[in-house]
Amino acid sequence: MDIELTKESKALICLLYKHYLDQRKAGKSIEMARYLGHDTVIQKTIAPKWPLDDVTELCWSLERKGLVQTTLGEDRANNVTFTDKGIIYMESRGKNVLKTLMELSKIVLPWK
């Protein structure tokens, strides 16, 4: 799957996918694990060092690529949910997901 993402978008989708896998491992249904919450929840639980506005913008960016679905409300990304396309994108990356996270941790990003 040839989808171009910024380094920041890659970092967030990797974190979201890790959260999805953790939820599945904990016994949650596919439907429940796909649901990631509102941008405020994502920021607090998955990406706490990132500014909320960045998380919101990155969620919208991932939605434009079809990797997550959101509902818009009060300039926020609400009800963020992994799409089939998003899960397939991450599955196709395989072991490269952890490698990507390791590489991204070495890059100076705005939230560090």
Side-chain angles (χ1 to χ4, degrees), residues 2-17:
D2 190 28
I3 297 175
E4 292 183 341
L5 298 175
T6 65
K7 290 176 184 172
E8 294 168 326
S9 292
K10 283 181 189 176
L12 183 60
I13 197 164
C14 285
L15 291 172
L16 296 176
Y17 186 64

Side-chain angles (χ1 to χ4, degrees), residues 1-83:
M1 189 176 295
D2 190 28
I3 297 175
E4 292 183 341
L5 298 175
T6 65
K7 290 176 184 172
E8 294 168 326
S9 292
K10 283 181 189 176
L12 183 60
I13 197 164
C14 285
L15 291 172
L16 296 176
Y17 186 64
K18 181 183 179 313
H19 179 76
Y20 166 79
L21 292 177
D22 290 345
Q23 295 298 303
R24 291 292 291 149
K25 189 179 279 189
K28 299 265 175 117
S29 69
I30 292 171
E31 181 182 1
M32 293 298 294
R34 281 178 185 240
Y35 180 74
L36 302 163
H38 302 320
D39 52 6
T40 53
V41 172
I42 292 169
Q43 189 267 334
K44 286 180 185 173
T45 61
I46 299 173
K49 293 183 180 179
W50 300 17
L52 177 57
D53 287 341
D54 288 355
V55 171
T56 303
E57 182 58 39
L58 292 170
C59 286
W60 289 337
S61 175
L62 294 173
E63 180 181 45
R64 287 189 296 272
K65 300 291 184 172
L67 302 176
V68 299
Q69 184 176 17
T70 67
T71 56
L72 190 60
E74 299 180 20
D75 294 328
R76 304 264 54 108
N78 297 315
N79 301 312
V80 180
T81 307
F82 254 119
T83 62

